[in-house]
């Protein structure tokens, strides 16, 4: 059986990072099943812990394969469904370098910096070398300087790296954690207005029972 023919199941909650994965699934345009879980109950039930011992969503099942961690899921789907063109051109090694760089940057420095910022954790200057990413301001400065002259982060077309990065920047700018200046907001607004992003948002809003 071809990968594209294997059943896809998204374990999620409409107020989780599962929204990022749903957008990815909508970009691919494949048929998938949604299984909704609740915090503190079904996410911690033995049946789900057997799938993801961390007891959190999102989780993707593709046939018998299980993928956890939002950015890992998006990276996996981009490779598993190449017809969706959510990776760089095959022979563009410069774009592939940027692609992997920014996926891992989002999963590492950006995620850590956002967590520190949201919890009010200030890294002392003398300890910044030991935390890897320095501080929140440095992380945001790197993103801004990169996006200043780019509409897409890797190569010459939208990829799963843009999906991930714009999702994070858009979400955390709502709460003032990330400064939504014109460089950042222009970038994520461009990509969040993609038809697949709008469809995904509508699905999760409906699952929350909102109008």
């Amino acid at each position: 059986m071809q990968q594209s023919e294997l059943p896809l199941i998204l374990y999620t909650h409409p107020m989780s990072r599962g929204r990022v994965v749903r957008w990815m699934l909508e970009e691919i345009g494949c048929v998938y099943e949604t299984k909704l879980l609740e915090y503190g109950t079904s996410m911690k039930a033995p049946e789900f812990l057997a799938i993801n011992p961390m007891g959190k969503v999102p989780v993707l099942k593709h046939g018998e394969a299980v993928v956890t961690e939002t950015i890992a899921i998006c990276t996996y789907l981009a490779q598993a469904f190449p017809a969706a063109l959510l990776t760089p051109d095959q022979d563009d090694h410069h774009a592939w370098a940027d692609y992997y760089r920014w996926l891992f940057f989002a999963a590492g420095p950006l995620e850590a910096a956002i967590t520190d910022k949201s919890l009010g954790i200030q890294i002392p200057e003398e300890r910044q070398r030991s935390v890897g990413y320095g501080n929140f301001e440095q992380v945001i400065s790197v993103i801004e300087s990169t996006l200043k002259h780019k509409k897409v982060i890797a190569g010459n077309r939208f990829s799963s790296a843009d999906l991930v990065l714009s999702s994070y920047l858009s979400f955390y700018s709502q709460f003032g954690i990330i400064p939504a200046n014109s460089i950042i907001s222009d970038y994520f607004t461009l990509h969040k207005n993609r038809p697949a992003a709008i469809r995904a948002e509508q699905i999760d809003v409906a699952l929350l029972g909102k109008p």
Side-chain angles (χ1 to χ4, degrees), residues 37-157:
L37 300 175
E38 295 297 327
Y39 292 102
T41 55
S42 52
M43 283 188 206
K44 304 302 181 183
E47 296 81 6
F48 184 63
L49 291 175
I51 298 172
N52 183 10
M54 290 292 288
K56 65 186 184 73
V57 294
V59 172
L60 183 78
K61 280 193 75 175
H62 187 199
E64 295 302 314
V66 174
V67 192
T68 67
E69 313 312 318
T70 303
I71 297 176
I73 296 171
C74 291
T75 306
Y76 172 84
L77 285 170
Q79 184 174 358
F81 294 84
L85 298 178
L86 293 170
T87 61
D89 292 330
Q90 183 176 358
D91 298 326
D92 189 345
H93 70 281
H94 290 290
W96 279 100
D98 286 338
Y99 177 74
Y100 284 118
R101 173 191 178 185
W102 286 101
L103 284 169
F104 281 84
F105 190 92
L110 180 58
E111 182 83 45
I114 286 172
T115 300
D116 284 348
K117 181 76 170 180
S118 62
L119 295 178
I121 297 173
Q122 294 286 338
I123 307 298
E125 185 175 354
E126 68 273 13
R127 300 299 302 275
Q128 289 179 9
R129 286 195 302 175
S130 65
V131 299
Y133 62 88
N135 57 41
F136 178 84
E137 290 74 21
Q138 183 178 352
V139 170
I140 299 303
S141 176
V142 169
I143 292 173
E144 288 178 346
S145 63
T146 301
L147 295 180
K148 191 172 183 179
H149 304 293
K150 287 189 173 189
K151 292 184 177 180
V152 293
I153 203 70
N156 56 12
R157 69 182 181 215

Side-chain angles (χ1 to χ4, degrees), residues 17-35:
R17 287 177 173 83
R19 287 191 174 212
V20 182
V21 176
R22 188 182 299 283
W23 177 9
M24 187 71 187
L25 288 165
E26 291 295 318
E27 288 283 353
I28 290 168
C30 57
V31 175
Y32 63 95
E33 179 184 354
T34 298
K35 291 198 175 183

